[in-house]
Amino acid sequence: MQKQLYIFNPWHDMALANFTPYYKISSEILRMSNDLSFLPVWYAPDDALIKIPDASAVETFCSQVSCFKKISVERFVSNALSCKKIVPWGWSPSLVHTLLSDGADASFLPDDEALAKIRYLSGRQRCVEVLSQLSSLGGICGKAVCCYDVNQVWNFLDERDNVILKAPWSGSGRGLYRVSRQLWNANVQGWISRILRTQGCVMAEPIYNKVCDFAMEFYSSPDGKVSFAGYSLFETDDFGNYKQNILMSDARIKERLLSYGILNETLDSVRGRLLDIFSKMIAGNYTGYLGVDMMICNQNDNFLLHPCVEINMRMNMGVVSRIIFDRYLCPSSHGKFVIEHYNSDDEAVLSHQKMSSSMPLVVGSSGRINSGYLTLTPLLPATRYQAYVIVKE
């Protein structure tokens, strides 16, 4: 039986925006991709293979996580030659080209038509369509429009004073431009013109008083059925860049959301409506996980649910966190899943040693984590990016 091959390619969104086989990954993103390439071992099936850039860190990684999980070095491979089913973070022409160059069989990869459908479904324009189908529900907010020229952007801004502009395709936390009437200038117009020229439109949205980021995660199966895969609770910085996920049970995340005054029936209605929408929108055109980023907003002391800030038509950190909690943590524990960046050699190793000492891993009789620190990716002297969890009882 052919094994599945999992690939972590966090440059997916930028490659999809570029949409050519020859997208060039920036050196920093490539470094992050390589440092975190072991991450799928935590969410893939236990018999799946994991594609890594080279084998130099395999034994170190297996040793660093041996206190919790015994992982065979044979699960890590550097090519896709032997695999009929490949499961990447996301599909793009660039990844297909890379895999073909690596010797993969074209019949196991998406063709041009399938890639075009994935790009269409991944565009932020789909948020406009989804929001229009959710607008009749109570307790929600959220508006997004597609602007096809500079004047349309200005008119949307002129009505609101402050807005956020988005490229239809861009990396998470990227391709965003906050602008006000007072800051409207030649640089803003130049950015808008460039996005219009390269992507056809610019997304414009009001800026909301956000108090909480979360997501609903879904799975689209090969037979076209879309199912709910759970909640994820995450944090971003002031620029919208991902920081970390909170590790909690689905029930506790929902309790947190309800504590803001959001009604249970609002969450359930949004979830049910999204299942209907996605069953029609993506059935047969996409297989895999997808996430819908949402937020709770405070509007004049009235808390409302924004049900569709972004649609991530790919694997995402929310799903990774959901699987990690459900698979590896004691149900009564909680914690955080973090992607850390380091600036210099040895910094990651020293941090790992310090956290291993100050927060030793405690594993319960069930084999699940009660508390402590665990790295999820290898730590070497030159490491700049790391994924880890910190768990508390």
Side-chain angles (χ1 to χ4, degrees), residues 141-168:
C141 62
K143 181 178 179 63
V145 300
C146 300
C147 299
Y148 298 94
D149 59 49
V150 175
N151 288 335
Q152 287 182 339
V153 177
W154 169 254
N155 291 337
F156 188 84
L157 171 62
D158 195 38
E159 295 174 1
R160 292 164 179 81
D161 187 43
N162 291 281
V163 302
I164 186 165
L165 307 179
K166 300 180 179 180

Side-chain angles (χ1 to χ4, degrees), residues 83-151:
C83 297
K84 291 185 178 180
K85 183 174 182 182
I86 299 175
V87 186
W89 195 254
W91 284 112
S92 67
S94 176
L95 179 62
V96 169
H97 176 73
T98 299
L99 292 173
L100 287 173
S101 301
D102 195 34
D105 189 328
S107 63
F108 304 139
L109 306 175
D111 58 20
D112 291 345
E113 181 181 359
L115 290 170
K117 288 178 179 177
I118 291 172
R119 187 175 194 259
Y120 171 83
L121 292 170
S122 300
R124 286 185 167 118
Q125 302 95 317
R126 306 291 80 74
C127 291
V128 178
E129 299 168 14
V130 170
L131 284 170
S132 70
Q133 296 181 67
L134 297 175
S135 60
S136 62
L137 298 179
I140 69 170
C141 62
K143 181 178 179 63
V145 300
C146 300
C147 299
Y148 298 94
D149 59 49
V150 175
N151 288 335

Side-chain angles (χ1 to χ4, degrees), residues 4 51 55 112 125-126 133 163 174-175 205 277 281 284 290 306 317 324 330 351 366 383 385 393:
Q4 299 178 75
K51 190 174 187 297
D112 291 345
Q125 302 95 317
R126 306 291 80 74
Q133 296 181 67
V163 302
R174 301 171 183 267
E205 303 173 16
I277 292 170
M281 179 185 287
L290 62 142
H306 188 318
M317 295 302 183
I324 285 174
C330 290
S351 176
S366 64
T383 296
Y385 291 91
E393 292 186 90

Side-chain angles (χ1 to χ4, degrees), residues 121-362:
L121 292 170
S122 300
R124 286 185 167 118
Q125 302 95 317
R126 306 291 80 74
C127 291
V128 178
E129 299 168 14
V130 170
L131 284 170
S132 70
Q133 296 181 67
L134 297 175
S135 60
S136 62
L137 298 179
I140 69 170
C141 62
K143 181 178 179 63
V145 300
C146 300
C147 299
Y148 298 94
D149 59 49
V150 175
N151 288 335
Q152 287 182 339
V153 177
W154 169 254
N155 291 337
F156 188 84
L157 171 62
D158 195 38
E159 295 174 1
R160 292 164 179 81
D161 187 43
N162 291 281
V163 302
I164 186 165
L165 307 179
K166 300 180 179 180
W169 292 275
S170 67
S172 179
R174 301 171 183 267
L176 311 181
Y177 208 127
R178 291 175 181 258
V179 64
S180 64
R181 282 198 297 255
Q182 292 76 20
L183 296 177
W184 181 270
N185 56 32
N187 289 335
V188 175
Q189 295 182 67
W191 183 87
I192 294 170
S193 297
R194 180 175 63 82
I195 300 300
L196 290 171
R197 184 176 66 255
T198 57
Q199 300 194 23
C201 72
V202 168
M203 310 301 300
E205 303 173 16
I207 294 177
Y208 296 94
N209 183 18
K210 178 182 68 177
V211 297
C212 178
D213 280 308
F214 74 102
M216 290 187 186
E217 311 293 350
F218 300 88
Y219 183 78
S220 178
S221 63
D223 63 5
K225 182 179 179 181
V226 178
S227 58
F228 179 65
Y231 287 98
S232 65
L233 189 64
F234 64 97
E235 297 177 2
T236 60
D237 62 22
D238 293 338
F239 302 100
N241 297 308
Y242 171 83
K243 288 173 59 181
Q244 63 185 26
N245 263 87
I246 307 302
L247 298 173
M248 282 183 179
S249 67
D250 253 0
R252 289 183 69 179
I253 290 179
K254 196 169 185 181
E255 285 178 12
R256 173 81 66 89
L257 302 177
L258 297 176
S259 71
Y260 289 100
I262 300 298
L263 297 179
N264 185 64
E265 63 189 59
T266 300
L267 289 171
D268 290 349
S269 295
V270 167
R271 183 180 68 183
R273 191 72 63 87
L274 287 174
L275 285 169
D276 291 339
I277 292 170
F278 289 137
S279 293
K280 297 180 179 70
M281 179 185 287
I282 68 177
N285 294 320
Y286 173 78
T287 297
Y289 285 101
L290 62 142
V292 183
D293 289 351
M294 305 182 182
M295 58 187 179
I296 296 175
C297 307
N298 183 351
Q299 292 192 356
N300 300 316
D301 294 326
N302 185 27
F303 291 93
L304 299 173
L305 170 63
H306 188 318
C308 188
V309 180
E310 300 274 353
I311 302 173
N312 296 307
M313 198 67 60
R314 53 166 170 75
M315 188 61 171
N316 60 78
M317 295 302 183
V319 174
V320 175
S321 300
R322 180 76 273 133
I323 292 174
I324 285 174
F325 181 90
D326 294 340
R327 193 179 290 181
Y328 303 114
L329 269 65
C330 290
S332 59
S333 295
H334 66 281
K336 59 183 181 179
F337 165 86
V338 182
I339 302 296
E340 193 70 76
H341 174 251
Y342 301 99
N343 295 311
S344 59
D345 285 357
D346 296 319
E347 188 179 353
V349 173
L350 291 172
S351 176
H352 169 68
Q353 293 171 346
K354 180 178 179 181
M355 288 194 286
S356 296
S357 175
S358 63
M359 295 175 284
L361 197 68
V362 177

Side-chain angles (χ1 to χ4, degrees), residues 8-11 14 23-37 53 98 174 384-385:
F8 180 65
N9 53 308
W11 39 269
M14 288 80 81
Y23 167 71
K24 183 175 175 55
I25 309 169
S26 71
S27 59
E28 190 63 19
I29 297 297
L30 183 60
R31 185 164 199 167
M32 178 176 73
S33 179
N34 291 342
D35 282 354
L36 302 180
S37 60
T98 299
R174 301 171 183 267
R384 290 295 187 276
Y385 291 91

